[in-house]
Amino acid sequence: GDTLETSAAGEDYFESFRTERESVRELEIGYLDEIIATSASDAETLADAQAQKLALVNNMETEFTIESLIRAKGFAAAVTFHGGSVNVIVDCETLSDEQVAQILDIVQRETGESAENVKVIPGAQ
């Protein structure tokens, strides 16, 4: 198949997007780790923080999986997934209905979210 040329600017955008997303996630996990470390006396708080951390880690794995599957279709993509909402920014200027449908299919399969909770956005900068 054709390999899509991605602009350097586009690549930079996706790199900074991922870096930003990772640092936010690290902060969130650090915050939860702190709660986990200090809430030994409060079983409910501890369980809640552990559940949130597990959900975050699962979301991170899901984002990575979706990005890899979309990359296999020939697109660079950046994905954010929070329960109930998925944003997929794709490194291209336009997407055909068929391409959007393929991406939606991947996202729905991996997240179980309904189509109205998924935004697919062409994000060439």
Side-chain angles (χ1 to χ4, degrees):
D2 299 330
T3 54
L4 295 172
E5 291 294 314
T6 52
S7 66
E11 280 301 307
D12 289 349
Y13 170 75
F14 283 89
E15 276 312 301
S16 62
F17 179 95
R18 287 198 189 94
T19 305
E20 174 75 13
R21 182 187 64 193
E22 274 159 36
S23 55
V24 168
R25 291 288 200 254
E26 278 168 23
L27 281 174
E28 290 173 322
I29 286 175
Y31 171 71
L32 291 168
D33 280 341
E34 225 165 90
I35 294 171
I36 290 164
T38 57
S39 64
S41 59
D42 184 350
E44 197 179 320
T45 304
L46 178 64
D48 186 50
Q50 286 174 325
Q52 285 185 54
K53 184 178 174 181
L54 186 63
L56 258 180
V57 171
N58 286 338
N59 285 358
M60 290 162 73
E61 288 174 3
T62 301
E63 288 164 351
F64 180 78
T65 302
I66 293 169
E67 287 174 355
S68 301
L69 290 166
I70 292 172
R71 195 174 307 117
K73 300 256 181 225
F75 295 104
V79 178
T80 50
F81 175 42
H82 297 282
S85 136
V86 190
N87 292 315
V88 183
I89 302 163
V90 185
D91 187 13
C92 60
E93 288 181 22
T94 57
L95 288 166
S96 70
D97 290 347
E98 186 189 351
Q99 289 166 331
V100 171
Q102 286 180 335
I103 291 167
L104 262 179
D105 183 55
I106 290 168
V107 173
Q108 290 182 270
R109 210 169 48 233
E110 293 302 317
T111 64
E113 294 294 338
S114 58
E116 59 265 23
N117 295 342
V118 181
K119 287 193 180 75
V120 179
I121 308 149
Q125 298 298 294

